[in-house]
mmCIF file with all atom_site columns, all heavy atoms in Angstrom:
data_model
loop_
_atom_site.group_PDB
_atom_site.id
_atom_site.type_symbol
_atom_site.label_atom_id
_atom_site.label_alt_id
_atom_site.label_comp_id
_atom_site.label_asym_id
_atom_site.label_entity_id
_atom_site.label_seq_id
_atom_site.pdbx_PDB_ins_code
_atom_site.Cartn_x
_atom_site.Cartn_y
_atom_site.Cartn_z
_atom_site.occupancy
_atom_site.B_iso_or_equiv
_atom_site.pdbx_formal_charge
_atom_site.auth_seq_id
_atom_site.auth_comp_id
_atom_site.auth_asym_id
_atom_site.auth_atom_id
_atom_site.pdbx_PDB_model_num
ATOM   1   N N   . GLY A 1 15  ? 200.498 -144.704 140.234 1.00 98.00 ? 15  GLY A N   1
ATOM   2   C CA  . GLY A 1 15  ? 199.982 -144.552 138.867 1.00 98.00 ? 15  GLY A CA  1
ATOM   3   C C   . GLY A 1 15  ? 200.936 -143.784 137.967 1.00 98.00 ? 15  GLY A C   1
ATOM   4   O O   . GLY A 1 15  ? 201.389 -144.285 136.929 1.00 98.00 ? 15  GLY A O   1
ATOM   5   N N   . MET A 1 16  ? 201.254 -142.575 138.339 1.00 99.00 ? 16  MET A N   1
ATOM   6   C CA  . MET A 1 16  ? 202.068 -141.703 137.474 1.00 99.00 ? 16  MET A CA  1
ATOM   7   C C   . MET A 1 16  ? 203.552 -142.088 137.534 1.00 99.00 ? 16  MET A C   1
ATOM   8   O O   . MET A 1 16  ? 204.236 -142.102 136.513 1.00 99.00 ? 16  MET A O   1
ATOM   9   C CB  . MET A 1 16  ? 201.923 -140.225 137.894 1.00 99.00 ? 16  MET A CB  1
ATOM   10  C CG  . MET A 1 16  ? 200.490 -139.763 137.982 1.00 99.00 ? 16  MET A CG  1
ATOM   11  S SD  . MET A 1 16  ? 199.576 -139.991 136.434 1.00 99.00 ? 16  MET A SD  1
ATOM   12  C CE  . MET A 1 16  ? 197.893 -140.074 137.073 1.00 99.00 ? 16  MET A CE  1
ATOM   13  N N   . GLU A 1 35  ? 209.526 -146.262 146.136 1.00 98.00 ? 35  GLU A N   1
ATOM   14  C CA  . GLU A 1 35  ? 208.128 -146.374 146.554 1.00 98.00 ? 35  GLU A CA  1
ATOM   15  C C   . GLU A 1 35  ? 208.066 -146.719 148.044 1.00 98.00 ? 35  GLU A C   1
ATOM   16  O O   . GLU A 1 35  ? 208.711 -147.664 148.486 1.00 98.00 ? 35  GLU A O   1
ATOM   17  C CB  . GLU A 1 35  ? 207.424 -147.452 145.709 1.00 98.00 ? 35  GLU A CB  1
ATOM   18  C CG  . GLU A 1 35  ? 206.060 -147.887 146.226 1.00 98.00 ? 35  GLU A CG  1
ATOM   19  C CD  . GLU A 1 35  ? 205.072 -146.735 146.420 1.00 98.00 ? 35  GLU A CD  1
ATOM   20  O OE1 . GLU A 1 35  ? 204.926 -145.916 145.500 1.00 98.00 ? 35  GLU A OE1 1
ATOM   21  O OE2 . GLU A 1 35  ? 204.484 -146.651 147.524 1.00 98.00 ? 35  GLU A OE2 1
ATOM   22  N N   . HIS A 1 41  ? 199.965 -151.316 145.782 1.00 98.00 ? 41  HIS A N   1
ATOM   23  C CA  . HIS A 1 41  ? 199.479 -151.323 147.170 1.00 98.00 ? 41  HIS A CA  1
ATOM   24  C C   . HIS A 1 41  ? 198.114 -150.646 147.251 1.00 98.00 ? 41  HIS A C   1
ATOM   25  O O   . HIS A 1 41  ? 197.597 -150.172 146.228 1.00 98.00 ? 41  HIS A O   1
ATOM   26  C CB  . HIS A 1 41  ? 200.495 -150.618 148.082 1.00 98.00 ? 41  HIS A CB  1
ATOM   27  C CG  . HIS A 1 41  ? 200.653 -149.160 147.758 1.00 98.00 ? 41  HIS A CG  1
ATOM   28  N ND1 . HIS A 1 41  ? 199.840 -148.201 148.286 1.00 98.00 ? 41  HIS A ND1 1
ATOM   29  C CD2 . HIS A 1 41  ? 201.514 -148.496 146.938 1.00 98.00 ? 41  HIS A CD2 1
ATOM   30  C CE1 . HIS A 1 41  ? 200.201 -147.008 147.835 1.00 98.00 ? 41  HIS A CE1 1
ATOM   31  N NE2 . HIS A 1 41  ? 201.210 -147.160 147.003 1.00 98.00 ? 41  HIS A NE2 1
ATOM   32  N N   . SER A 1 45  ? 196.109 -143.913 145.701 1.00 98.00 ? 45  SER A N   1
ATOM   33  C CA  . SER A 1 45  ? 194.997 -143.460 144.855 1.00 98.00 ? 45  SER A CA  1
ATOM   34  C C   . SER A 1 45  ? 194.691 -144.373 143.682 1.00 98.00 ? 45  SER A C   1
ATOM   35  O O   . SER A 1 45  ? 193.750 -144.087 142.943 1.00 98.00 ? 45  SER A O   1
ATOM   36  C CB  . SER A 1 45  ? 195.326 -142.063 144.302 1.00 98.00 ? 45  SER A CB  1
ATOM   37  O OG  . SER A 1 45  ? 195.535 -141.167 145.346 1.00 98.00 ? 45  SER A OG  1
ATOM   38  N N   . SER A 1 46  ? 195.453 -145.445 143.470 1.00 98.00 ? 46  SER A N   1
ATOM   39  C CA  . SER A 1 46  ? 195.306 -146.190 142.213 1.00 98.00 ? 46  SER A CA  1
ATOM   40  C C   . SER A 1 46  ? 194.777 -147.613 142.382 1.00 98.00 ? 46  SER A C   1
ATOM   41  O O   . SER A 1 46  ? 194.705 -148.350 141.406 1.00 98.00 ? 46  SER A O   1
ATOM   42  C CB  . SER A 1 46  ? 196.665 -146.243 141.489 1.00 98.00 ? 46  SER A CB  1
ATOM   43  O OG  . SER A 1 46  ? 197.121 -144.946 141.191 1.00 98.00 ? 46  SER A OG  1
ATOM   44  N N   . ARG A 1 51  ? 190.023 -148.215 136.625 1.00 98.00 ? 51  ARG A N   1
ATOM   45  C CA  . ARG A 1 51  ? 189.678 -146.799 136.560 1.00 98.00 ? 51  ARG A CA  1
ATOM   46  C C   . ARG A 1 51  ? 189.037 -146.501 135.211 1.00 98.00 ? 51  ARG A C   1
ATOM   47  O O   . ARG A 1 51  ? 189.473 -147.031 134.183 1.00 98.00 ? 51  ARG A O   1
ATOM   48  C CB  . ARG A 1 51  ? 190.938 -145.921 136.690 1.00 98.00 ? 51  ARG A CB  1
ATOM   49  C CG  . ARG A 1 51  ? 191.598 -145.958 138.059 1.00 98.00 ? 51  ARG A CG  1
ATOM   50  C CD  . ARG A 1 51  ? 190.754 -145.242 139.095 1.00 98.00 ? 51  ARG A CD  1
ATOM   51  N NE  . ARG A 1 51  ? 191.372 -145.134 140.411 1.00 98.00 ? 51  ARG A NE  1
ATOM   52  C CZ  . ARG A 1 51  ? 191.255 -146.028 141.384 1.00 98.00 ? 51  ARG A CZ  1
ATOM   53  N NH1 . ARG A 1 51  ? 190.564 -147.137 141.206 1.00 98.00 ? 51  ARG A NH1 1
ATOM   54  N NH2 . ARG A 1 51  ? 191.827 -145.823 142.557 1.00 98.00 ? 51  ARG A NH2 1
ATOM   55  N N   . ILE A 1 52  ? 188.063 -145.617 135.225 1.00 98.00 ? 52  ILE A N   1
ATOM   56  C CA  . ILE A 1 52  ? 187.379 -145.238 133.977 1.00 98.00 ? 52  ILE A CA  1
ATOM   57  C C   . ILE A 1 52  ? 188.329 -144.509 133.040 1.00 98.00 ? 52  ILE A C   1
ATOM   58  O O   . ILE A 1 52  ? 189.146 -143.687 133.484 1.00 98.00 ? 52  ILE A O   1
ATOM   59  C CB  . ILE A 1 52  ? 186.162 -144.342 134.301 1.00 98.00 ? 52  ILE A CB  1
ATOM   60  C CG1 . ILE A 1 52  ? 185.051 -145.198 134.913 1.00 98.00 ? 52  ILE A CG1 1
ATOM   61  C CG2 . ILE A 1 52  ? 185.669 -143.587 133.052 1.00 98.00 ? 52  ILE A CG2 1
ATOM   62  C CD1 . ILE A 1 52  ? 183.860 -144.413 135.418 1.00 98.00 ? 52  ILE A CD1 1
ATOM   63  N N   . VAL A 1 174 ? 210.945 -141.975 150.718 1.00 98.00 ? 174 VAL A N   1
ATOM   64  C CA  . VAL A 1 174 ? 211.834 -140.820 150.583 1.00 98.00 ? 174 VAL A CA  1
ATOM   65  C C   . VAL A 1 174 ? 211.530 -139.861 151.728 1.00 98.00 ? 174 VAL A C   1
ATOM   66  O O   . VAL A 1 174 ? 210.371 -139.491 151.960 1.00 98.00 ? 174 VAL A O   1
ATOM   67  C CB  . VAL A 1 174 ? 211.615 -140.138 149.215 1.00 98.00 ? 174 VAL A CB  1
ATOM   68  C CG1 . VAL A 1 174 ? 212.323 -138.796 149.145 1.00 98.00 ? 174 VAL A CG1 1
ATOM   69  C CG2 . VAL A 1 174 ? 212.081 -141.068 148.096 1.00 98.00 ? 174 VAL A CG2 1
ATOM   70  N N   . CYS A 1 313 ? 189.929 -144.820 149.486 1.00 98.00 ? 313 CYS A N   1
ATOM   71  C CA  . CYS A 1 313 ? 190.961 -144.418 148.533 1.00 98.00 ? 313 CYS A CA  1
ATOM   72  C C   . CYS A 1 313 ? 191.151 -142.906 148.704 1.00 98.00 ? 313 CYS A C   1
ATOM   73  O O   . CYS A 1 313 ? 190.432 -142.286 149.488 1.00 98.00 ? 313 CYS A O   1
ATOM   74  C CB  . CYS A 1 313 ? 190.440 -144.771 147.143 1.00 98.00 ? 313 CYS A CB  1
ATOM   75  S SG  . CYS A 1 313 ? 191.611 -144.592 145.799 1.00 98.00 ? 313 CYS A SG  1
ATOM   76  N N   . LYS A 1 346 ? 193.436 -142.441 134.102 1.00 98.00 ? 346 LYS A N   1
ATOM   77  C CA  . LYS A 1 346 ? 193.335 -142.749 132.669 1.00 98.00 ? 346 LYS A CA  1
ATOM   78  C C   . LYS A 1 346 ? 194.475 -142.120 131.874 1.00 98.00 ? 346 LYS A C   1
ATOM   79  O O   . LYS A 1 346 ? 194.803 -142.570 130.791 1.00 98.00 ? 346 LYS A O   1
ATOM   80  C CB  . LYS A 1 346 ? 191.972 -142.296 132.133 1.00 98.00 ? 346 LYS A CB  1
ATOM   81  C CG  . LYS A 1 346 ? 191.738 -140.803 132.248 1.00 98.00 ? 346 LYS A CG  1
ATOM   82  C CD  . LYS A 1 346 ? 190.365 -140.367 131.758 1.00 98.00 ? 346 LYS A CD  1
ATOM   83  C CE  . LYS A 1 346 ? 189.237 -140.618 132.711 1.00 98.00 ? 346 LYS A CE  1
ATOM   84  N NZ  . LYS A 1 346 ? 189.353 -139.900 134.023 1.00 98.00 ? 346 LYS A NZ  1
HETATM 85  C C1  . FAD B 2 .   ? 188.048 -143.953 144.544 1.00 72.04 ? 401 FAD B C1  1
HETATM 86  C C2  . FAD B 2 .   ? 188.764 -143.353 143.362 1.00 72.04 ? 401 FAD B C2  1
HETATM 87  C C3  . FAD B 2 .   ? 188.207 -143.489 142.092 1.00 72.04 ? 401 FAD B C3  1
HETATM 88  C C4  . FAD B 2 .   ? 188.860 -142.934 141.004 1.00 72.04 ? 401 FAD B C4  1
HETATM 89  N N1  . FAD B 2 .   ? 188.325 -143.113 139.746 1.00 72.04 ? 401 FAD B N1  1
HETATM 90  C C5  . FAD B 2 .   ? 189.009 -142.701 138.660 1.00 72.04 ? 401 FAD B C5  1
HETATM 91  C C6  . FAD B 2 .   ? 188.585 -143.055 137.374 1.00 72.04 ? 401 FAD B C6  1
HETATM 92  O O1  . FAD B 2 .   ? 187.584 -143.756 137.222 1.00 72.04 ? 401 FAD B O1  1
HETATM 93  N N2  . FAD B 2 .   ? 189.319 -142.642 136.318 1.00 72.04 ? 401 FAD B N2  1
HETATM 94  C C7  . FAD B 2 .   ? 190.444 -141.909 136.460 1.00 72.04 ? 401 FAD B C7  1
HETATM 95  O O2  . FAD B 2 .   ? 191.062 -141.559 135.454 1.00 72.04 ? 401 FAD B O2  1
HETATM 96  N N3  . FAD B 2 .   ? 190.901 -141.570 137.693 1.00 72.04 ? 401 FAD B N3  1
HETATM 97  C C8  . FAD B 2 .   ? 190.218 -141.957 138.783 1.00 72.04 ? 401 FAD B C8  1
HETATM 98  N N4  . FAD B 2 .   ? 190.670 -141.669 140.036 1.00 72.04 ? 401 FAD B N4  1
HETATM 99  C C9  . FAD B 2 .   ? 191.845 -140.830 140.187 1.00 72.04 ? 401 FAD B C9  1
HETATM 100 C C10 . FAD B 2 .   ? 193.109 -141.599 139.930 1.00 72.04 ? 401 FAD B C10 1
HETATM 101 O O3  . FAD B 2 .   ? 193.023 -142.874 140.497 1.00 72.04 ? 401 FAD B O3  1
HETATM 102 C C11 . FAD B 2 .   ? 194.277 -140.799 140.484 1.00 72.04 ? 401 FAD B C11 1
HETATM 103 O O4  . FAD B 2 .   ? 194.269 -139.520 139.853 1.00 72.04 ? 401 FAD B O4  1
HETATM 104 C C12 . FAD B 2 .   ? 195.598 -141.485 140.225 1.00 72.04 ? 401 FAD B C12 1
HETATM 105 O O5  . FAD B 2 .   ? 195.573 -142.808 140.714 1.00 72.04 ? 401 FAD B O5  1
HETATM 106 C C13 . FAD B 2 .   ? 196.697 -140.693 140.889 1.00 72.04 ? 401 FAD B C13 1
HETATM 107 O O6  . FAD B 2 .   ? 197.929 -141.348 140.660 1.00 72.04 ? 401 FAD B O6  1
HETATM 108 P P1  . FAD B 2 .   ? 199.220 -140.868 141.466 1.00 72.04 ? 401 FAD B P1  1
HETATM 109 O O7  . FAD B 2 .   ? 200.373 -141.523 140.832 1.00 72.04 ? 401 FAD B O7  1
HETATM 110 O O8  . FAD B 2 .   ? 199.198 -139.372 141.591 1.00 72.04 ? 401 FAD B O8  1
HETATM 111 O O9  . FAD B 2 .   ? 198.986 -141.427 142.945 1.00 72.04 ? 401 FAD B O9  1
HETATM 112 P P2  . FAD B 2 .   ? 199.341 -142.932 143.557 1.00 72.04 ? 401 FAD B P2  1
HETATM 113 O O10 . FAD B 2 .   ? 198.974 -143.930 142.535 1.00 72.04 ? 401 FAD B O10 1
HETATM 114 O O11 . FAD B 2 .   ? 198.772 -142.952 144.879 1.00 72.04 ? 401 FAD B O11 1
HETATM 115 O O12 . FAD B 2 .   ? 200.902 -142.863 143.563 1.00 72.04 ? 401 FAD B O12 1
HETATM 116 C C14 . FAD B 2 .   ? 201.648 -142.066 144.444 1.00 72.04 ? 401 FAD B C14 1
HETATM 117 C C15 . FAD B 2 .   ? 202.701 -142.971 145.021 1.00 72.04 ? 401 FAD B C15 1
HETATM 118 O O13 . FAD B 2 .   ? 203.680 -142.231 145.728 1.00 72.04 ? 401 FAD B O13 1
HETATM 119 C C16 . FAD B 2 .   ? 204.074 -143.031 146.831 1.00 72.04 ? 401 FAD B C16 1
HETATM 120 N N5  . FAD B 2 .   ? 204.735 -142.165 147.807 1.00 72.04 ? 401 FAD B N5  1
HETATM 121 C C17 . FAD B 2 .   ? 204.193 -141.157 148.491 1.00 72.04 ? 401 FAD B C17 1
HETATM 122 N N6  . FAD B 2 .   ? 205.113 -140.568 149.276 1.00 72.04 ? 401 FAD B N6  1
HETATM 123 C C18 . FAD B 2 .   ? 206.272 -141.226 149.079 1.00 72.04 ? 401 FAD B C18 1
HETATM 124 C C19 . FAD B 2 .   ? 207.578 -141.104 149.625 1.00 72.04 ? 401 FAD B C19 1
HETATM 125 N N7  . FAD B 2 .   ? 207.867 -140.155 150.532 1.00 72.04 ? 401 FAD B N7  1
HETATM 126 N N8  . FAD B 2 .   ? 208.540 -141.969 149.206 1.00 72.04 ? 401 FAD B N8  1
HETATM 127 C C20 . FAD B 2 .   ? 208.255 -142.922 148.288 1.00 72.04 ? 401 FAD B C20 1
HETATM 128 N N9  . FAD B 2 .   ? 207.018 -143.098 147.755 1.00 72.04 ? 401 FAD B N9  1
HETATM 129 C C21 . FAD B 2 .   ? 206.041 -142.250 148.141 1.00 72.04 ? 401 FAD B C21 1
HETATM 130 C C22 . FAD B 2 .   ? 202.756 -143.608 147.316 1.00 72.04 ? 401 FAD B C22 1
HETATM 131 O O14 . FAD B 2 .   ? 202.931 -144.693 148.176 1.00 72.04 ? 401 FAD B O14 1
HETATM 132 C C23 . FAD B 2 .   ? 202.114 -143.967 146.003 1.00 72.04 ? 401 FAD B C23 1
HETATM 133 O O15 . FAD B 2 .   ? 202.421 -145.272 145.586 1.00 72.04 ? 401 FAD B O15 1
HETATM 134 C C24 . FAD B 2 .   ? 190.047 -142.204 141.169 1.00 72.04 ? 401 FAD B C24 1
HETATM 135 C C25 . FAD B 2 .   ? 190.608 -142.074 142.441 1.00 72.04 ? 401 FAD B C25 1
HETATM 136 C C26 . FAD B 2 .   ? 189.977 -142.656 143.532 1.00 72.04 ? 401 FAD B C26 1
HETATM 137 C C27 . FAD B 2 .   ? 190.597 -142.516 144.888 1.00 72.04 ? 401 FAD B C27 1
#
Side-chain angles (χ1 to χ4, degrees):
M16 307 303 156
E35 167 55 49
H41 64 86
S45 301
S46 300
R51 292 289 185 271
I52 287 173
V174 169
C313 188
K346 62 182 78 61

